Amino acid sequence: MSMPVLSPLFLILLFSLTFPPTKSTAVQRNQPMRLRFGKNGEFKILQVADMHYANGKSTPCEDVLPDQISSCSDLNTTAFLRRMILAEKPDFIVFTGDNIFGYDATDAAKSLDAAFAPAIASNIPWAAVLGNHDQESTLSREGVMKHIVGLKSTLSKVNPSGMKTINGFGNYNLEVSGVKGSDFENKSVLNLYFLDSGDYSTVPGIYGYGWIKPSQQFWFQLTSAMLKRAYMDKPFPQKTAAPGLTFFHIPLPEYSSFDASNYTGVLQDVGISSPSVNSGFFPAMVEAGDVKAVFTGHDHLNDFCGLLTGINLCYGGGFGYHAYGKAGWSRRARVVVANLERTAKGNWGSVKSIRTWKRLDDKHLTRIDSQVLWSKNSLGFSI
C-alpha cells in the first residue's frame, strides 16, 4: 500500500515543524566538504555496487575464469576501485550497499576500513548506503552506519538530523551547489537522496527482502518539497524543481517493468530480486517530480537503465570479486555526469543534462552503454 499523496504546501509546513532549524549541530560542524559543480560546469559521480569485501588477500574470488582463481582476492576489488578513481577522477563516489560481505568478514570495522580505503586515500568526498549483507559480521546495521560516518572524507549520515522516528540507518540527502561565483553558487542545483532499503522482511508471513518503509517515504516527500521550495524561491527563483538522483541497494518491484526493447544494458540475473511488498516508493518519486534516476545494486548480473514514467531505473552492475558474478563477464562500475547550461550572460546556470556510462574491469577499462538519462529537452535516450 502506498502512502497518500500530500500537497507540497502541507509538506513544507509539516517539514518546518518536524525539522526545527538549528544554528549549529555536531553533524553540520563535522561535515568535511561541500559538494559543488566544478568550473567546467560538470559534476561526476562514480557508483560502486556490491563490493562484498571480506578479509582482503585471504578472501577468494567468486565466479572468475580458471586461470584467475589462484591469484584473485579482495585485493582485485581494491585495485579496480583505484583504477576507476584514477581514470574517471570523479567529484563524488557513492557506494550502494553490500560494501562488505558480513558472513565472511572476521572483523566488520577492519573490512569496512579496507573496502573504502581507496576512496579515503583519494580525498574525494564519498557516501554509502547499506545493503542486505553489511550487518552480518560483528556490527549491527546501526553499528555499520555509525562506523562509516566516522571515516575520513565521507558525507554519509546515520539518519536525518532532527527526525526522531525513521526506519533503517543511512537515510539522508546531500545538495550539490552551482559553480562558485555564479548566480547558483548558493543554490542546490542537483539533489541526492540516500535511503536504507533494508535487508530481510521481519513481518510474519511476508518473506524475502526488506523494503523502503512509510517513515522513509514520508521523509523523502518532506525533503523533496523543501528543496523544491528553496530552488523556486529568491534569489534567482526557478520555475521547476532541481533534478534529483536517488541511491539505495535493493531494486524496487518496478524494475521488473522492462524487456529487451526498452532498456540499455543487460538483464541476466534470474528475475529481479526486489521485495515481495511494493511499498509505493516509486509513485511517491513520480509524484514528487524531481527525481530523474534511481541507482541500485543487489543483482550483480544486471547493469541496465530503463525509463519508466519519467524516471530512469538503473543498476550499477556487480563490482566486487568476492561476490557472485559470471566467469568471463567483467566486473563493472557506473559513472553518472551532470552538466550545467550556459546562461544568456555566459555564466554557468542550472543542470542541462544527466548522462551515464559504465566501465569494465578489463585491460582498457572499456567504456560501454553511454546514455543520456535526462535533459531539459528530452526524456532520455541512448547515444
Side-chain angles (χ1 to χ4, degrees):
M1 173 192 270
S2 61
M3 290 185 61
V5 176
L6 302 175
S7 72
L9 182 60
F10 177 77
L11 290 171
I12 292 164
L13 177 60
L14 192 55
F15 191 96
S16 66
L17 297 174
T18 308
F19 297 84
T22 57
K23 293 182 179 179
S24 179
T25 67
V27 172
Q28 290 169 334
R29 285 196 303 269
N30 293 334
Q31 290 303 312
M33 302 178 188
R34 180 175 182 175
L35 299 178
R36 182 182 295 282
F37 276 75
K39 293 181 179 179
N40 61 350
E42 181 177 284
F43 188 79
K44 182 185 287 187
I45 301 170
L46 170 63
Q47 181 196 0
V48 177
D50 298 273
M51 288 192 292
H52 277 235
Y53 205 95
N55 297 318
K57 188 177 181 178
S58 63
T59 300
C61 295
E62 301 286 339
D63 297 324
V64 294
L65 295 171
D67 62 353
Q68 296 176 297
I69 293 175
S70 62
S71 61
C72 192
S73 71
D74 276 339
L75 300 188
N76 290 65
T77 301
T78 299
F80 183 24
L81 182 51
R82 286 174 177 158
R83 291 181 74 200
M84 285 299 303
I85 291 171
L86 289 172
E88 289 289 357
K89 298 178 177 58
D91 299 295
F92 186 51
I93 306 170
V94 180
F95 297 91
T96 49
D98 282 2
N99 308 295
I100 63 172
F101 187 66
Y103 279 129
D104 293 338
T106 304
D107 184 312
K110 289 182 179 179
S111 294
L112 289 164
D113 292 347
F116 297 124
I120 294 169
S122 72
N123 289 319
I124 295 169
W126 59 276
V129 294
L130 301 180
N132 55 296
H133 290 303
D134 289 292
Q135 78 290 342
E136 295 169 340
S137 180
T138 55
L139 290 174
S140 64
R141 288 183 78 77
E142 182 178 11
V144 170
M145 203 65 215
K146 285 183 174 179
H147 185 83
I148 290 172
V149 168
L151 296 176
K152 181 184 175 185
S153 300
T154 189
L155 297 180
S156 307
K157 299 178 184 179
V158 176
N159 269 327
S161 177
M163 191 164 185
K164 295 181 180 180
T165 303
I166 188 168
N167 290 89
F169 302 96
N171 303 286
Y172 56 100
N173 70 290
L174 296 172
E175 302 175 13
V176 187
S177 301
V179 175
K180 194 171 183 63
S182 73
D183 293 340
F184 291 84
E185 69 172 323
N186 294 317
K187 270 188 181 290
S188 177
V189 296
L190 180 68
N191 295 312
L192 310 178
Y193 302 100
F194 304 84
L195 294 102
D196 181 1
S197 54
D199 48 11
Y200 303 97
S201 171
T202 58
V203 179
I206 298 178
Y207 304 99
Y209 295 108
W211 56 87
I212 294 172
K213 304 299 195 299
S215 64
Q216 297 166 281
Q217 181 173 313
F218 186 53
W219 164 79
F220 164 78
Q221 291 173 309
L222 293 173
T223 305
S224 174
M226 181 198 70
L227 292 169
K228 182 177 182 179
R229 183 189 183 192
Y231 192 62
M232 298 176 70
D233 202 358
K234 296 179 180 180
F236 306 104
Q238 301 300 297
K239 295 180 180 179
T240 59
L245 305 176
T246 305
F247 301 88
F248 48 87
H249 182 68
I250 298 175
L252 300 170
E254 285 80 4
Y255 271 69
S256 298
S257 302
F258 306 105
D259 56 44
S261 68
N262 56 5
Y263 62 75
T264 299
V266 298
L267 193 171
Q268 55 185 353
D269 258 291
V270 179
I272 302 293
S273 298
S274 58
S276 58
V277 171
N278 190 331
S279 62
F281 187 57
F282 181 77
M285 289 190 290
V286 173
E287 178 66 24
D290 60 335
V291 173
K292 308 307 177 188
V294 175
F295 302 94
T296 65
H298 194 53
D299 294 336
H300 308 174
L301 298 180
N302 296 340
D303 71 353
F304 68 79
C305 277
L307 182 65
L308 182 66
T309 323
I311 298 177
N312 286 275
L313 300 179
C314 300
Y315 280 104
F319 188 98
Y321 279 86
H322 184 55
Y324 81 83
K326 184 178 179 181
W329 194 71
S330 299
R331 266 59 176 186
R332 56 204 58 213
R334 182 172 292 281
V335 178
V336 182
V337 177
N339 290 98
L340 302 178
E341 64 182 358
R342 288 284 191 180
T343 66
K345 297 180 180 179
N347 298 320
W348 289 115
S350 58
V351 175
K352 176 181 66 176
S353 65
I354 301 171
R355 299 173 291 133
T356 188
W357 58 84
K358 299 185 292 285
R359 283 192 183 267
L360 309 181
D361 190 22
D362 58 16
K363 182 178 180 180
H364 303 289
L365 280 179
T366 303
R367 175 172 160 168
I368 63 170
D369 294 339
S370 294
Q371 183 181 5
V372 175
L373 296 177
W374 174 84
S375 74
K376 284 192 170 182
N377 300 317
S378 65
L379 292 176
F381 52 88
S382 299
I383 59 172

PDB file of all heavy atoms in Angstrom, residues 74-84 118 361:
ATOM      1  N   ASP A  74      40.067 -10.206  -2.601  1.00  0.00           N
ATOM      2  CA  ASP A  74      39.501  -8.875  -2.357  1.00  0.00           C
ATOM      3  C   ASP A  74      40.395  -7.765  -2.906  1.00  0.00           C
ATOM      4  O   ASP A  74      39.909  -6.669  -3.220  1.00  0.00           O
ATOM      5  CB  ASP A  74      39.343  -8.638  -0.847  1.00  0.00           C
ATOM      6  CG  ASP A  74      38.054  -9.204  -0.282  1.00  0.00           C
ATOM      7  OD1 ASP A  74      37.102  -9.422  -1.060  1.00  0.00           O
ATOM      8  OD2 ASP A  74      37.996  -9.432   0.937  1.00  0.00           O
ATOM      9  N   LEU A  75      41.683  -8.041  -2.998  1.00  0.00           N
ATOM     10  CA  LEU A  75      42.609  -7.018  -3.474  1.00  0.00           C
ATOM     11  C   LEU A  75      42.333  -6.642  -4.937  1.00  0.00           C
ATOM     12  O   LEU A  75      42.677  -5.539  -5.366  1.00  0.00           O
ATOM     13  CB  LEU A  75      44.059  -7.496  -3.310  1.00  0.00           C
ATOM     14  CG  LEU A  75      44.498  -7.816  -1.873  1.00  0.00           C
ATOM     15  CD1 LEU A  75      46.003  -8.089  -1.826  1.00  0.00           C
ATOM     16  CD2 LEU A  75      44.137  -6.681  -0.913  1.00  0.00           C
ATOM     17  N   ASN A  76      41.705  -7.548  -5.686  1.00  0.00           N
ATOM     18  CA  ASN A  76      41.294  -7.207  -7.051  1.00  0.00           C
ATOM     19  C   ASN A  76      40.186  -6.148  -7.032  1.00  0.00           C
ATOM     20  O   ASN A  76      40.136  -5.271  -7.895  1.00  0.00           O
ATOM     21  CB  ASN A  76      40.808  -8.455  -7.786  1.00  0.00           C
ATOM     22  CG  ASN A  76      41.940  -9.411  -8.102  1.00  0.00           C
ATOM     23  OD1 ASN A  76      42.560  -9.969  -7.203  1.00  0.00           O
ATOM     24  ND2 ASN A  76      42.210  -9.606  -9.383  1.00  0.00           N
ATOM     25  N   THR A  77      39.310  -6.229  -6.040  1.00  0.00           N
ATOM     26  CA  THR A  77      38.272  -5.206  -5.876  1.00  0.00           C
ATOM     27  C   THR A  77      38.912  -3.865  -5.545  1.00  0.00           C
ATOM     28  O   THR A  77      38.539  -2.819  -6.103  1.00  0.00           O
ATOM     29  CB  THR A  77      37.293  -5.620  -4.762  1.00  0.00           C
ATOM     30  OG1 THR A  77      36.701  -6.880  -5.098  1.00  0.00           O
ATOM     31  CG2 THR A  77      36.202  -4.583  -4.572  1.00  0.00           C
ATOM     32  N   THR A  78      39.885  -3.887  -4.644  1.00  0.00           N
ATOM     33  CA  THR A  78      40.607  -2.662  -4.280  1.00  0.00           C
ATOM     34  C   THR A  78      41.301  -2.061  -5.491  1.00  0.00           C
ATOM     35  O   THR A  78      41.243  -0.846  -5.723  1.00  0.00           O
ATOM     36  CB  THR A  78      41.638  -2.966  -3.182  1.00  0.00           C
ATOM     37  OG1 THR A  78      40.958  -3.450  -2.015  1.00  0.00           O
ATOM     38  CG2 THR A  78      42.447  -1.726  -2.824  1.00  0.00           C
ATOM     39  N   ALA A  79      41.952  -2.901  -6.281  1.00  0.00           N
ATOM     40  CA  ALA A  79      42.676  -2.411  -7.461  1.00  0.00           C
ATOM     41  C   ALA A  79      41.721  -1.811  -8.485  1.00  0.00           C
ATOM     42  O   ALA A  79      42.023  -0.778  -9.107  1.00  0.00           O
ATOM     43  CB  ALA A  79      43.473  -3.553  -8.089  1.00  0.00           C
ATOM     44  N   PHE A  80      40.559  -2.429  -8.660  1.00  0.00           N
ATOM     45  CA  PHE A  80      39.562  -1.908  -9.602  1.00  0.00           C
ATOM     46  C   PHE A  80      39.071  -0.536  -9.156  1.00  0.00           C
ATOM     47  O   PHE A  80      38.948   0.390  -9.966  1.00  0.00           O
ATOM     48  CB  PHE A  80      38.397  -2.902  -9.708  1.00  0.00           C
ATOM     49  CG  PHE A  80      37.330  -2.529 -10.700  1.00  0.00           C
ATOM     50  CD1 PHE A  80      37.597  -1.691 -11.786  1.00  0.00           C
ATOM     51  CD2 PHE A  80      36.030  -3.020 -10.555  1.00  0.00           C
ATOM     52  CE1 PHE A  80      36.592  -1.351 -12.698  1.00  0.00           C
ATOM     53  CE2 PHE A  80      35.035  -2.691 -11.458  1.00  0.00           C
ATOM     54  CZ  PHE A  80      35.312  -1.845 -12.531  1.00  0.00           C
ATOM     55  N   LEU A  81      38.810  -0.381  -7.876  1.00  0.00           N
ATOM     56  CA  LEU A  81      38.350   0.912  -7.369  1.00  0.00           C
ATOM     57  C   LEU A  81      39.412   1.982  -7.584  1.00  0.00           C
ATOM     58  O   LEU A  81      39.109   3.106  -8.005  1.00  0.00           O
ATOM     59  CB  LEU A  81      37.989   0.788  -5.891  1.00  0.00           C
ATOM     60  CG  LEU A  81      37.446   2.051  -5.203  1.00  0.00           C
ATOM     61  CD1 LEU A  81      36.295   2.670  -5.982  1.00  0.00           C
ATOM     62  CD2 LEU A  81      37.012   1.728  -3.774  1.00  0.00           C
ATOM     63  N   ARG A  82      40.660   1.655  -7.323  1.00  0.00           N
ATOM     64  CA  ARG A  82      41.743   2.622  -7.550  1.00  0.00           C
ATOM     65  C   ARG A  82      41.828   3.009  -9.022  1.00  0.00           C
ATOM     66  O   ARG A  82      42.008   4.183  -9.360  1.00  0.00           O
ATOM     67  CB  ARG A  82      43.068   2.029  -7.076  1.00  0.00           C
ATOM     68  CG  ARG A  82      43.232   1.984  -5.563  1.00  0.00           C
ATOM     69  CD  ARG A  82      44.488   1.263  -5.159  1.00  0.00           C
ATOM     70  NE  ARG A  82      44.682   1.273  -3.711  1.00  0.00           N
ATOM     71  CZ  ARG A  82      45.437   0.400  -3.057  1.00  0.00           C
ATOM     72  NH1 ARG A  82      46.064  -0.567  -3.732  1.00  0.00           N
ATOM     73  NH2 ARG A  82      45.562   0.479  -1.743  1.00  0.00           N
ATOM     74  N   ARG A  83      41.713   2.021  -9.898  1.00  0.00           N
ATOM     75  CA  ARG A  83      41.770   2.303 -11.341  1.00  0.00           C
ATOM     76  C   ARG A  83      40.645   3.233 -11.773  1.00  0.00           C
ATOM     77  O   ARG A  83      40.848   4.161 -12.558  1.00  0.00           O
ATOM     78  CB  ARG A  83      41.682   1.000 -12.141  1.00  0.00           C
ATOM     79  CG  ARG A  83      42.868   0.078 -12.034  1.00  0.00           C
ATOM     80  CD  ARG A  83      42.647  -1.149 -12.899  1.00  0.00           C
ATOM     81  NE  ARG A  83      42.798  -0.853 -14.317  1.00  0.00           N
ATOM     82  CZ  ARG A  83      42.306  -1.604 -15.296  1.00  0.00           C
ATOM     83  NH1 ARG A  83      41.551  -2.662 -15.006  1.00  0.00           N
ATOM     84  NH2 ARG A  83      42.522  -1.297 -16.547  1.00  0.00           N
ATOM     85  N   MET A  84      39.458   2.979 -11.262  1.00  0.00           N
ATOM     86  CA  MET A  84      38.315   3.809 -11.627  1.00  0.00           C
ATOM     87  C   MET A  84      38.485   5.244 -11.146  1.00  0.00           C
ATOM     88  O   MET A  84      38.162   6.202 -11.862  1.00  0.00           O
ATOM     89  CB  MET A  84      37.027   3.214 -11.048  1.00  0.00           C
ATOM     90  CG  MET A  84      36.509   1.981 -11.773  1.00  0.00           C
ATOM     91  SD  MET A  84      36.091   2.291 -13.509  1.00  0.00           S
ATOM     92  CE  MET A  84      34.906   3.618 -13.361  1.00  0.00           C
ATOM     93  N   PRO A 118      40.530   3.003  -0.787  1.00  0.00           N
ATOM     94  CA  PRO A 118      40.903   3.803  -1.969  1.00  0.00           C
ATOM     95  C   PRO A 118      40.158   5.129  -2.046  1.00  0.00           C
ATOM     96  O   PRO A 118      40.726   6.148  -2.448  1.00  0.00           O
ATOM     97  CB  PRO A 118      40.538   2.885  -3.142  1.00  0.00           C
ATOM     98  CG  PRO A 118      40.615   1.504  -2.583  1.00  0.00           C
ATOM     99  CD  PRO A 118      40.093   1.645  -1.184  1.00  0.00           C
ATOM    100  N   ASP A 361      36.147  -3.787 -15.832  1.00  0.00           N
ATOM    101  CA  ASP A 361      37.467  -4.028 -15.263  1.00  0.00           C
ATOM    102  C   ASP A 361      38.248  -4.965 -16.179  1.00  0.00           C
ATOM    103  O   ASP A 361      38.552  -6.103 -15.831  1.00  0.00           O
ATOM    104  CB  ASP A 361      37.345  -4.618 -13.858  1.00  0.00           C
ATOM    105  CG  ASP A 361      38.701  -4.653 -13.144  1.00  0.00           C
ATOM    106  OD1 ASP A 361      39.592  -3.881 -13.544  1.00  0.00           O
ATOM    107  OD2 ASP A 361      38.855  -5.440 -12.191  1.00  0.00           O
TER     108      ASP A 361
END
